[in-house]
Amino acid sequence: MTRTIYDAVGGMPALVSLAHAWHERVLADPVVSHAFSHGYHPDHTERLAAYWAEALGGPPAVTTSVASESEVVRMHSGNGPHQEMDARAVECFERAVEDAGLSGDADVRDALVAYFTWATGYMGTYHGSADQVPDGLTVPRWSWDGLVDGTDSRPSQHTE
């Protein structure tokens, strides 16, 4: 059995460190911080780490106890395109990987950055309105080879 990215990074403790490092960086960024100007849940970083864990081969802690995938996508939808913000969020993530001590293994670093870059675009699928997000989405899974086939439940013809 192949080791998951979740296991390779060190499980939940490492992902919580990464989420904290990323959140600190985005709050300090003049562009990305706008996404948090309305406030955020006090457990945001722990929830984010749990979401990443689920996507990277760990336990399904978010969708079994916090929110469905459709709810998560709705929270990130209806804000119009924001390429600059997305690019800066990815830059913050790349630096957060270093801050969290996860950049020493190039395979792990590259897999994390590839996942986050893809996920940033995925979360922006429904630019027009959160009402466009269908019920029943499932968390897309990410492996060493990229998106796991069949785990991205967005409509393939969505062009918004």
Side-chain angles (χ1 to χ4, degrees):
M1 182 190 259
T2 304
R3 189 166 75 145
T4 65
I5 298 169
Y6 171 80
D7 290 329
V9 299
M12 201 58 170
L15 291 175
V16 168
S17 293
L18 178 58
H20 280 289
W22 181 77
H23 201 237
E24 285 180 14
R25 285 197 171 272
V26 298
L27 290 178
D29 184 281
V31 174
V32 186
S33 62
H34 175 73
F36 295 94
S37 62
H38 62 280
Y40 48 89
H41 193 279
D43 294 329
H44 177 262
T45 54
E46 288 77 13
R47 289 177 173 204
L48 180 58
Y51 182 87
W52 290 342
E54 191 165 337
L56 299 172
V62 170
T63 57
T64 59
S65 64
V66 177
S68 72
E69 178 66 2
S70 293
E71 291 169 315
V72 171
V73 174
R74 282 184 190 112
M75 287 187 292
H76 294 87
S77 298
N79 300 309
H82 39 75
Q83 290 88 0
E84 181 185 7
M85 184 182 293
D86 291 349
R88 290 176 76 128
V90 171
E91 288 174 24
C92 288
F93 186 83
E94 290 172 335
R95 289 184 176 94
V97 169
E98 294 173 18
D99 296 343
L102 300 174
S103 62
D105 181 326
D107 290 336
V108 169
R109 180 194 64 236
D110 292 350
L112 288 171
V113 171
Y115 164 71
F116 189 84
T117 302
W118 175 86
T120 299
Y122 162 74
M123 284 295 169
T125 298
Y126 300 94
H127 292 297
S129 171
D131 294 336
Q132 296 173 323
V133 179
D135 291 331
L137 294 178
T138 57
V139 175
R141 309 287 187 212
W142 195 261
S143 75
W144 298 105
D145 298 320
L147 184 65
V148 175
D149 286 342
T151 67
D152 181 356
S153 56
R154 291 177 296 173
S156 59
Q157 59 274 38
H158 187 75
T159 58
E160 192 79 21

